[in-house]
């Protein structure tokens, strides 16, 4: 659509000088554990061991590298200044700089490089983590 074209154009002009969004943004320990688990599923426990249960069924871990999180913030701050209409998550205006990021959502942030990064988070991290922690609800085909 027209907004996707606008994001594509923005990414080749104003957005071209933004920091690269890649796996180097993930915390090195988590990144290594995930990569090893993909190579050898018997090593998934190393991934689980990085997470702390802070409340029943609620886990936390250092997901992004604290030294590189500023790159992601810079990227998102610049995208929020692009003057391309967006739809805030759940339509809540309080999400001032929020974006819908999933392509199934109308008005999503269709920056090609960001979408590649987003797909990597979902496919390489979120789905396997979901299966690891919530195997009663999420199966291999999810």
């Amino acid at each position: 659509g027209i907004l996707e074209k606008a994001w594509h154009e923005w990414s080749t002009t104003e957005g071209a000088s933004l920091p690269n969004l890649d796996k180097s943004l993930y915390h090195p320990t988590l990144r290594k554990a995930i990569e090893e688990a993909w190579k050898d599923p018997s090593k998934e426990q190393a991934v689980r061991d990085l997470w702390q249960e802070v409340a029943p069924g609620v886990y936390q871990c250092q997901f992004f590298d604290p030294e590189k999180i500023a790159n992601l913030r810079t990227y998102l701050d610049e995208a929020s200044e692009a003057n391309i209409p967006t739809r805030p998550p759940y339509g809540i205006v309080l999400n001032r700089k929020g974006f819908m990021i999933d392509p199934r959502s109308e008005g999503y942030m269709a920056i090609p490089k960001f979408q590649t990064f987003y797909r990597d988070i979902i496919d390489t991290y979120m789905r396997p983590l979901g299966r690891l922690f919530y195997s009663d609800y999420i199966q291999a085909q999810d």
Side-chain angles (χ1 to χ4, degrees):
I2 193 166
L3 294 178
E4 289 172 339
K5 288 177 185 176
W7 279 119
H8 180 74
E9 183 179 323
W10 178 86
S11 73
T12 61
T13 56
E14 292 92 0
S17 63
L18 289 175
N20 196 26
L21 300 182
D22 60 21
K23 65 182 183 176
S24 70
L25 290 174
Y26 309 131
H27 192 277
T29 307
L30 176 65
R31 184 175 65 238
K32 183 176 189 283
I34 290 280
E35 288 171 357
E36 291 298 318
W38 272 106
K39 291 177 193 171
D40 180 358
S42 70
K43 296 182 178 181
E44 284 184 348
Q45 188 60 43
V47 175
R48 186 181 255 289
D49 290 344
L50 295 174
W51 294 78
Q52 296 175 319
E53 190 169 18
V54 295
V58 177
Y59 300 88
Q60 73 176 13
C61 149
Q62 185 64 52
F63 196 89
F64 291 108
D65 184 338
E67 294 179 15
K68 303 226 174 145
I69 193 73
N71 291 344
L72 180 57
R73 288 184 178 136
T74 297
Y75 195 98
L76 296 173
D77 284 345
E78 290 295 320
S80 74
E81 300 294 326
N83 292 320
I84 297 172
T86 60
R87 181 172 160 235
Y90 309 108
I92 300 172
V93 180
L94 294 177
N95 287 321
R96 292 173 296 196
K97 293 186 180 184
F99 294 98
M100 297 299 283
I101 58 176
D102 192 297
R104 297 171 294 181
S105 301
E106 188 175 330
Y108 78 105
M109 188 172 67
I111 303 169
K113 288 181 181 179
F114 181 83
Q115 286 299 312
T116 299
F117 177 69
Y118 170 68
R119 289 276 24 114
D120 183 60
I121 288 176
I122 297 299
D123 294 339
T124 307
Y125 290 79
M126 294 301 138
R127 284 191 180 111
L129 289 170
R131 288 191 298 269
L132 183 65
F133 288 103
Y134 306 104
S135 58
D136 291 345
Y137 303 102
I138 301 173
Q139 304 302 312
Q141 64 272 19
D142 291 331

